[in-house]
Amino acid sequence: MFELYIANKNYSSWSLRPWILMRELGIPFIEKLVPFAGTNQANAFRHFSPTGKVPCLIDGETVVWDSLAITEYLAERSPAVWPADAMARTWARCAVAEMHSGFQALRECCTMNCGLRIRLASPSQALAKDLTRLNELWQEGLTRFGGPYLAGPVFTAVDAFFAPVAFRVQTYGLEMDPPARSYVDHLLSLPAMRDWYASALNETWRDEEHDQMARNAGTWLNDFRVVGQ
């Protein structure tokens, strides 16, 4: 049985990627949630992750760190991780790589915080550029491969990598083109995504560093999280 180490569901976008992928594909795993620990974060995670970061997958004697490496490790055991069609598979891998290494302004301006609703203070040109590219990329995938997922009729790794963006769109009220908005709504309606969201709201611990990033982003309109510690 795989063991998947993740951090707080409210904050950890990187943890969501392999978690939602495994849930949607029916790959059994044991969830190991270790909360963020502020400045001691690396030490808190170092006993299971060589980088002191999440996510981290343990498979017996094998340790796999980084969400993309975990995805490829799972793909060697489950062909459903990537689209069956060769063209869709190639496109999906390119889109995953772009998300994994890009969209920096989106990450910095819109940190993931599932339980909040935030009005951005002053959206930057860099963020606008990222959102334009995101709309373009999603439109391409949905049009070329027929939807409702980015690379065709079934959920695959490319959807897992953009799942955290769906929560960001919800938190910050980001304006998306109609096809992209429909895709976000579809992701948010998935049972596994609803489970993640419910768990995020019910977490009682807080990480001040992550909350401060959300304060820097703009005005908090709502906080739907339970009262924290």
Side-chain angles (χ1 to χ4, degrees), residues 51-66:
T51 61
K53 297 179 180 180
V54 288
C56 188
L57 184 75
I58 308 296
D59 182 16
E61 299 289 322
T62 303
V63 179
V64 190
W65 63 96
D66 187 273

Side-chain angles (χ1 to χ4, degrees), residues 146-190:
Y149 297 101
L150 289 181
V154 297
F155 187 100
T156 61
V158 67
D159 303 294
F161 269 69
F162 285 102
V165 178
F167 282 130
R168 286 180 163 100
V169 171
Q170 178 174 260
T171 294
Y172 296 92
L174 301 177
E175 294 187 10
M176 308 296 292
D177 294 342
R181 180 69 243 191
S182 294
Y183 174 63
V184 165
D185 292 341
H186 184 59
L187 285 183
L188 293 174
S189 72
L190 294 175

Side-chain angles (χ1 to χ4, degrees), residues 16-187:
L16 173 57
R17 293 172 172 182
W19 188 95
I20 192 69
L21 180 64
M22 297 173 80
R23 278 288 303 270
E24 282 297 308
L25 299 187
I27 300 173
F29 67 97
I30 298 170
E31 177 185 305
K32 302 281 190 177
L33 195 156
V34 181
F36 286 116
T39 56
N40 295 319
Q41 176 180 318
N43 292 334
F45 296 159
R46 200 58 189 267
H47 74 278
F48 60 82
S49 172
T51 61
K53 297 179 180 180
V54 288
C56 188
L57 184 75
I58 308 296
D59 182 16
E61 299 289 322
T62 303
V63 179
V64 190
W65 63 96
D66 187 273
S67 58
L68 184 54
I70 293 170
T71 297
E72 292 294 4
Y73 185 80
L74 294 172
E76 293 175 354
R77 289 147 182 82
S78 174
V81 167
W82 294 109
D85 176 76
M87 289 186 64
R89 188 166 61 250
T90 298
W91 183 90
R93 281 197 161 106
C94 291
V96 163
E98 184 175 354
M99 182 69 247
H100 196 58
S101 62
F103 295 99
Q104 195 62 38
L106 177 63
R107 301 179 198 275
E108 293 176 356
C109 298
C110 302
T111 183
M112 187 163 113
N113 199 311
C114 295
L116 301 181
R117 298 296 180 271
I118 299 172
R119 182 173 60 242
L120 287 173
S122 53
S124 66
Q125 290 185 347
L127 177 59
K129 182 177 180 180
D130 274 1
L131 293 177
T132 296
R133 174 55 186 156
L134 191 65
N135 277 292
E136 177 184 71
L137 181 65
W138 286 1
Q139 175 72 33
E140 180 185 4
L142 294 167
T143 301
R144 284 184 63 183
F145 307 113
Y149 297 101
L150 289 181
V154 297
F155 187 100
T156 61
V158 67
D159 303 294
F161 269 69
F162 285 102
V165 178
F167 282 130
R168 286 180 163 100
V169 171
Q170 178 174 260
T171 294
Y172 296 92
L174 301 177
E175 294 187 10
M176 308 296 292
D177 294 342
R181 180 69 243 191
S182 294
Y183 174 63
V184 165
D185 292 341
H186 184 59
L187 285 183

